[in-house]
Amino acid sequence: MTGTSDDGTRGGGTDDTRGPAGFDGSAASRPGPPDARSTDGWQRRWRDRAARLREQGRDRAQEWWPKIRPLLAQFRWSDEPPPTVMIVDRRIPPALMVPAQGQVYGFVVRATFTWCSDSARPELFGWYVDYFQPQAVQRLQRIAARCAREVPPHRPREVEIALYEALTGDDALPWRYERGEVTFSCEADVSVHLDQRVRRLLQPYWDQRIALECERDLDRRRAEYEQERGQREPAEPTGQDAPPASGMPEALREEHPPQQRKADPADPPSPTTEQHRRQPRPDSPVEQFTPLEPLLPSPGEQPPRPAAGPRPASAQPGDTSPTSGDPEHPGPPGA
């Protein structure tokens, strides 16, 4: 019997439909069809969530659209070529030393290069400038050395003038440099200066020259001030400057008016003299053309005669009766 049971078990005669505990395949353990109420509630919840997400997305889009629209406009396809942008950069290379006449001293050449291009990308502009600038420095040094070869070392102005005159023809500014499709233009601003050794030799000479020029300017200004002072002071009257005597009173024809004649030192000063001391000088225009005393009657002149009429009777020596003072009625005042 034992063998029979073992054979039946090994042969698969036993029922293997039984699974794990609780999953034996019975009708009670199998899931049935879903309930209609639970299905409607699940769909309703998903519809409500989708509606809320749609409203939130619409609000976010209305908020972000004004900010995103300018960025999208840059990527819009257009048949018009993109606008060109001119990029400018200014570089100052180290000072150049060029030999002067005699090959002992030299001149110091300082330059400022202005680079500009409208075909280079901004991120590559600096690289192109670093590539072309050594060529521009060598070109400038060659022109400056040719101009300074025959000039004494104490005349940098002549070298600078000759240098700007040499920047013509093939070396005319601005200089152009190309690499592939990229084009650069270079404008150079150049100035020439003295060497420090020549400057120390020339300093005593210029100190003395500046001192002499200052003294000369001082003397010239003094002479101008003296001349201006002499013009402001009135000149002494001469015979040519005297006014004509014809048609003038006798008092004005004299050399000095009566009030200006020399008085006796013993006499006390009169009020008129004190008043004239405070007035302008005799030779001033006010004193010459506004005399008041000559127009007044002199003390020696007689009063005017009375009008024609009966002359008053002469008074007797013993007559002491008062008279009225009227020549026509010489009687007493009460008559």
Side-chain angles (χ1 to χ4, degrees):
M1 294 180 65
T2 306
T4 304
S5 61
D6 295 334
D7 295 338
T9 304
R10 292 174 182 177
T14 59
D15 188 6
D16 293 336
T17 57
R18 181 180 295 181
F23 292 93
D24 54 354
S26 60
S29 62
R30 294 177 182 176
D35 189 4
R37 295 180 178 178
S38 61
T39 303
D40 294 342
W42 178 78
Q43 292 179 355
R44 189 182 302 108
R45 287 194 302 270
W46 277 103
R47 284 196 299 269
D48 295 342
R49 182 177 296 180
R52 288 196 302 270
L53 293 175
R54 185 170 59 254
E55 293 296 334
Q56 292 178 2
R58 185 182 297 110
D59 296 341
R60 294 291 181 85
Q62 292 178 359
E63 180 182 356
W64 290 352
W65 177 247
K67 302 178 181 179
I68 300 176
R69 186 173 182 179
L71 299 177
L72 297 177
Q74 298 178 2
F75 298 98
R76 185 183 302 173
W77 178 262
S78 179
D79 296 335
E80 299 179 359
T84 59
V85 179
M86 180 68 69
I87 306 176
V88 181
D89 189 10
R90 184 168 296 173
R91 300 289 182 90
I92 301 177
L96 304 176
M97 189 69 180
V98 293
Q101 184 181 11
Q103 305 294 323
V104 177
Y105 299 102
F107 297 100
V108 180
V109 180
R110 294 187 174 91
T112 301
F113 294 108
T114 303
W115 298 90
C116 57
S117 175
D118 56 356
S119 58
R121 292 187 298 177
E123 60 271 14
L124 298 178
F125 186 86
W127 184 88
Y128 281 109
V129 172
D130 295 338
Y131 177 78
F132 290 129
Q133 183 155 325
Q135 304 179 27
V137 172
Q138 294 178 3
R139 189 174 184 178
L140 177 62
Q141 187 173 9
R142 184 178 64 254
I143 299 174
R146 186 172 64 248
C147 296
R149 187 175 302 154
E150 301 297 334
V151 181
H154 63 281
R155 298 179 181 178
R157 180 61 179 171
E158 297 182 8
V159 179
E160 186 173 344
I161 295 175
L163 181 59
Y164 276 101
E165 291 178 354
L167 296 177
T168 56
D170 297 338
D171 296 328
L173 295 174
W175 298 334
R176 297 182 61 85
Y177 296 93
E178 298 180 359
R179 182 180 175 86
E181 298 179 355
V182 179
T183 304
F184 274 77
S185 62
C186 175
E187 188 75 26
D189 185 10
V190 187
S191 60
V192 183
H193 305 271
L194 285 172
D195 187 8
Q196 291 296 333
R197 297 176 297 173
V198 180
R199 186 185 298 275
R200 287 193 296 267
L201 294 174
L202 293 177
Q203 186 171 359
Y205 164 75
W206 280 103
D207 292 344
Q208 184 179 4
R209 180 172 177 178
I210 292 173
L212 294 176
E213 290 183 356
C214 291
E215 293 180 2
R216 183 189 62 180
D217 294 342
L218 182 60
D219 295 340
R220 181 173 55 84
R221 294 298 299 174
R222 286 176 178 174
E224 292 178 358
Y225 288 150
E226 292 294 336
Q227 183 178 3
E228 184 179 357
R229 181 180 177 182
Q231 292 177 356
R232 286 199 303 264
E233 293 181 355
E236 296 182 359
T238 58
Q240 299 178 356
D241 299 336
S246 58
M248 297 181 62
E250 182 180 358
L252 293 180
R253 297 180 186 179
E254 300 178 1
E255 183 178 359
H256 297 285
Q259 68 273 12
Q260 298 178 2
R261 293 174 180 174
K262 187 176 181 180
D264 190 1
D267 298 340
S270 60
T272 307
T273 306
E274 295 293 336
Q275 181 180 2
H276 282 287
R277 289 179 181 178
R278 294 190 297 268
Q279 290 181 355
R281 296 190 304 270
D283 54 351
S284 62
V286 177
E287 189 67 21
Q288 291 180 1
F289 297 99
T290 57
L292 300 179
E293 284 78 6
L295 301 181
L296 299 176
S298 59
E301 295 182 359
Q302 299 293 334
R305 295 182 179 181
R311 299 180 62 85
S314 59
Q316 297 296 330
D319 191 3
T320 60
S321 61
T323 59
S324 62
D326 189 356
E328 297 181 359
H329 303 280

